[in-house]
Amino acid sequence: LIARTSTLDSTLSNKDRMTAYCGQSYISNDGEVLDEMDIDKYLHEGAMGMALTTAKNILKRNPLNIKALHTAGNTMFKIYKDSITTSKNGKLYKDSISNYFSRLGALLWAIKSTGDGSQAHPFLVTKIDDEYMVMHLLLNLKDFGTQTQTDHFDVFSLKTKSSHYDKPYIYFDITRVLEIKRLLFPNTTNTNTSNGIKSNATDNKK
């Protein structure tokens, strides 16, 4: 299922893609976290080439890494946007960019299919970064108030709504995130902020 999801098999359902997405987390166990931090560093420095290379390396190990797919598509477009229409490799660049974004979109819609953002039906994620991708890219939510961790939920209060989401709060089920955290940091508790998990209300405007 992981291979079929990463190759955009159109016969797969959202349930199939979620099975692949969750299953990949048991293979990766968030092993790309340091590389993801490097991506943030390179993007902050404007080093698009290094960010693209790092994203591609992540995708070799985890073809369903949402942050890497987003980074690869964005940076490749910025690097090669002038070459898409002028270079003999233009179609190749365009097809690659389209592939990254298509894979990204398929995974985000699969996550969205797991719930409606309410406490009763939260969106299921395996990585904290994926929460922001769902909110930014799929639901067009930009302005957050507080973020809190309650039990196995990550909860955001929303300062503004969008045409895609009009509730005052949005809930994510982070059960798998917490499992990975306990695996990586066996001597910590859920009150820590390790691995991007916050237990106290903080201002978040990522």
Side-chain angles (χ1 to χ4, degrees):
L1 275 180
I2 292 171
R4 291 169 64 193
T5 299
S6 65
T7 55
L8 295 171
D9 186 333
S10 62
T11 65
L12 296 181
S13 64
N14 280 327
K15 183 177 180 180
D16 292 329
R17 295 186 184 98
M18 278 305 297
T19 300
Y21 169 75
C22 293
Q24 177 65 54
S25 76
Y26 287 90
I27 298 172
S28 304
N29 283 319
D30 214 18
E32 315 92 33
V33 64
L34 294 179
D35 287 330
E36 291 170 351
M37 292 170 65
D38 283 341
I39 283 179
D40 291 335
K41 173 178 175 287
Y42 293 138
L43 291 177
H44 179 73
E45 295 172 349
M48 297 295 168
M50 291 298 296
L52 175 58
T53 298
T54 304
K56 286 182 174 180
N57 287 335
I58 290 174
L59 292 171
K60 290 177 183 177
R61 288 171 283 148
N62 177 0
L64 307 185
N65 186 295
I66 287 176
K67 182 171 186 172
L69 287 169
H70 182 250
T71 299
N74 265 349
T75 55
M76 195 167 192
F77 175 76
K78 290 176 181 177
I79 293 170
Y80 296 110
K81 63 181 178 180
D82 294 331
S83 302
I84 289 174
T85 55
T86 60
S87 169
K88 64 179 181 180
N89 293 323
K91 186 178 186 304
L92 177 63
Y93 298 144
K94 185 176 180 180
D95 289 347
S96 294
I97 293 166
S98 176
N99 178 269
Y100 287 132
F101 285 137
S102 294
R103 289 159 63 187
L104 170 67
L107 289 170
L108 292 179
W109 278 106
I111 291 173
K112 187 175 184 294
S113 74
T114 62
D116 59 12
S118 65
Q119 184 173 2
H121 303 287
F123 298 123
L124 190 155
V125 295
T126 64
K127 295 175 73 68
I128 294 297
D129 277 341
D130 296 351
E131 298 173 343
Y132 293 96
M133 292 294 179
V134 170
M135 290 189 289
H136 283 184
L137 301 179
L138 206 57
L139 302 179
N140 198 30
L141 298 170
K142 308 295 183 184
D143 198 6
F144 313 131
T146 58
Q147 176 193 1
T148 58
Q149 183 194 321
T150 304
D151 194 20
H152 62 284
F153 299 115
D154 229 359
V155 188
F156 293 81
S157 66
L158 303 175
K159 290 185 176 180
T160 58
K161 302 174 184 179
S162 77
S163 58
H164 303 291
Y165 195 86
D166 61 0
K167 303 179 183 71
Y169 295 93
I170 184 168
Y171 285 76
F172 291 90
D173 183 333
I174 57 169
T175 300
R176 181 59 186 147
V177 176
L178 296 175
E179 289 175 352
I180 294 173
K181 180 190 172 185
R182 287 191 291 269
L183 178 67
L184 298 178
F185 308 101
N187 296 322
T188 63
T189 66
N190 288 351
T191 57
N192 267 330
T193 58
S194 301
N195 208 27
I197 301 170
K198 295 177 171 58
S199 58
N200 297 317
T202 56
D203 287 329
N204 276 281
K205 296 180 180 179
K206 292 191 177 182

